[in-house]
Amino acid sequence: MIPVAPHIAAMSPYALAEMEVPAGKSLISLSQNESLRAPSPLAAEAAARAMTRAELYPDPDWTELCQALGDLHGIPTQGILCGNGSLDLIGCVARAYADEKNAVLAPAHAYPFFRTAAQIAGARFDTAEEDGARVSVSALLAAVQPDTRVVFVANPGNPTGTRLTRSEIRSLRAGLRDDVLLVVDEAYGEFADHLDEPSFDMVTRGDTVILRTFSKAYGLAGLRVGWGLFPPEIAAQLRKVMNPNNISVVGQAAALAAVEDQAYMCETCTMTARLRDSLIGRLRDSGFRVADSFTNFALIRFDSVAAARSADQALQAEGVFPRSQAGAGLSHALRVTVGNPEALDLAVGILKAWSKGARP
Ligand SMILES: *Cc1c(COP(=O)(O)O)cnc(C)c1O
């Protein structure tokens, strides 16, 4: 046996959605927060064109994509790094800044990959209580230890769907020591951009990173393109731990075309918000507990773990897959991605029937 590094041996593999479709049913995945529709046709065309250059390595500096993102958001191009999905960037931050001598902190119901990233880095992973399923700035600040090095907060949050205001994020930052890196993961930022001023200006402090992705509102989850705005010193360190050719020519071309088609992305957000709010309204009318969401999913909270499991089984029996949230410390909840209207009608119908019948 080749001995594996002890901190890796102690880890469990990251749990992705498991979907076993019953015989005779077709798969309706509402489990991974993918976009309810295909990406912009312009992105698909750009991807096809990029295939004709696929014998070449991709641009290691993502030059055109960074330029487009810089122009769109009014941010400095030099501070942008792109990753093979934002998961890649989360992992790079943890590998570069956390180690066995310090700790990573996140809210109790945070995105589970923050824990995985901390474990890969060999760091301790601490959590702070939330207020219901909403991040509590005061609890996070109270949970900071002398060896805390990185704080991860997704805003809006996954799987909670709740969000902190810009001023709450600012007061979190203001309450952290200067030697604690704050990473604000805005994977769902595009769904909430109309509610607040952007947070990108916080990066100029030198101790804060903002992450975004093409996987959600832009509908490019399958191409693996994430990005973030980083202080220059941090970007220089991350470059050392990154795969130097991390995004394919196809991914870069499609993401660039998607940025340039803001109308399409905004339309996706509008469609998603309308369907989401209708989904939440219908579920509430049927007696389900669902918090307001600022994302492309809704979190349904059941009275017990057994009830959540039973509802999950009722959905799965029809080929509909929500996502159980045990990994985020919410075993009594199911997360339902805002899919197409037919998929949502089916899910609501099954849940209504379940609530009238086999409720444990
Ligand atoms: C979906 C999601 C990601 C992962 O995004 P990729 O860019 O596809 O790697 C990161 N953070 C949060 C909070 C997410 O929900």
Side-chain angles (χ1 to χ4, degrees), residues 79 93 151 169-170 172-174 176-178 180-186 199-211 228-235:
V93 168
V151 176
I169 288 284
R170 291 184 160 265
L172 169 61
R173 179 63 264 181
L176 293 171
R177 295 190 313 267
D178 294 348
V180 176
L181 176 61
L182 173 63
V183 180
V184 185
D185 176 353
E186 297 187 345
S199 303
F200 292 112
D201 62 322
M202 288 174 64
V203 174
T204 56
R205 300 172 45 101
D207 52 16
T208 303
V209 164
I210 309 285
L211 300 181
L229 186 64
F230 299 81
E233 322 73 58
I234 293 178

Side-chain angles (χ1 to χ4, degrees), residues 44-333:
E45 284 163 29
R49 275 197 306 278
M51 268 309 289
T52 64
R53 305 192 309 269
E55 79 282 13
L56 303 176
Y57 278 107
D59 177 357
D61 300 314
W62 328 280
T63 313
E64 286 178 276
L65 181 55
C66 291
Q67 193 63 55
L69 288 167
D71 291 348
L72 174 67
H73 293 286
I75 53 178
T77 308
Q78 319 80 265
I80 300 174
L81 295 179
C82 299
N84 196 256
S86 50
L87 290 186
D88 185 22
L89 296 170
I90 293 167
C92 287
V93 168
R95 282 206 301 283
Y97 284 90
D99 59 52
E100 58 286 346
K101 293 193 204 62
N102 51 44
V104 169
L105 171 66
H109 308 306
Y111 188 52
F113 193 75
F114 298 152
R115 176 191 297 272
T116 301
Q119 288 172 336
I120 293 170
R124 198 178 70 242
F125 184 71
D126 296 339
T127 58
E129 280 312 303
E130 299 199 23
D131 190 0
R134 192 169 181 277
V135 171
S136 161
V137 170
S138 56
L140 265 175
L141 291 176
V144 172
Q145 303 296 316
D147 62 353
T148 301
R149 178 56 47 79
V150 184
V151 176
F152 282 106
V153 176
N155 195 39
N158 173 16
T160 58
T162 54
R163 73 183 278 277
L164 296 178
T165 63
R166 173 180 152 94
S167 76
E168 286 172 306
I169 288 284
R170 291 184 160 265
S171 60
L172 169 61
R173 179 63 264 181
L176 293 171
R177 295 190 313 267
D178 294 348
D179 66 345
V180 176
L181 176 61
L182 173 63
V183 180
V184 185
D185 176 353
E186 297 187 345
Y188 303 92
E190 287 82 5
F191 296 105
D193 275 342
H194 59 289
L195 296 171
D196 240 332
E197 293 297 308
S199 303
F200 292 112
D201 62 322
M202 288 174 64
V203 174
T204 56
R205 300 172 45 101
D207 52 16
T208 303
V209 164
I210 309 285
L211 300 181
R212 292 222 167 187
T213 181
F214 285 90
S215 296
K216 308 287 159 60
Y218 286 101
L220 290 174
L223 286 183
R224 314 305 305 127
V225 191
W227 64 281
L229 186 64
F230 299 81
E233 322 73 58
I234 293 178
Q237 299 303 329
L238 292 189
R239 282 277 189 166
K240 298 181 194 170
V241 300
M242 287 179 99
N243 171 343
N245 285 117
N246 62 353
I247 308 180
S248 70
V249 288
V250 173
Q252 294 194 39
L256 173 62
V259 173
E260 288 172 344
D261 194 354
Q262 284 296 300
Y264 188 90
M265 187 276 285
C266 293
E267 189 182 59
T268 302
C269 290
T270 307
M271 290 167 67
T272 303
R274 198 176 300 138
L275 285 167
R276 175 195 66 209
D277 294 340
S278 141
L279 169 70
I280 292 175
R282 285 187 286 166
L283 290 172
R284 284 180 183 160
D285 288 346
S286 306
F288 289 94
R289 255 193 311 144
V290 193
D292 285 339
S293 167
F294 299 92
T295 62
N296 68 340
F297 59 84
L299 185 75
I300 310 173
R301 271 184 282 170
F302 294 84
D303 296 337
S304 66
V305 176
R309 195 167 299 143
S310 158
D312 195 2
Q313 282 162 358
L315 288 161
Q316 289 195 24
E318 300 302 322
V320 180
F321 289 79
R323 185 72 181 270
S324 115
Q325 292 302 324
L330 293 166
S331 308
H332 63 302

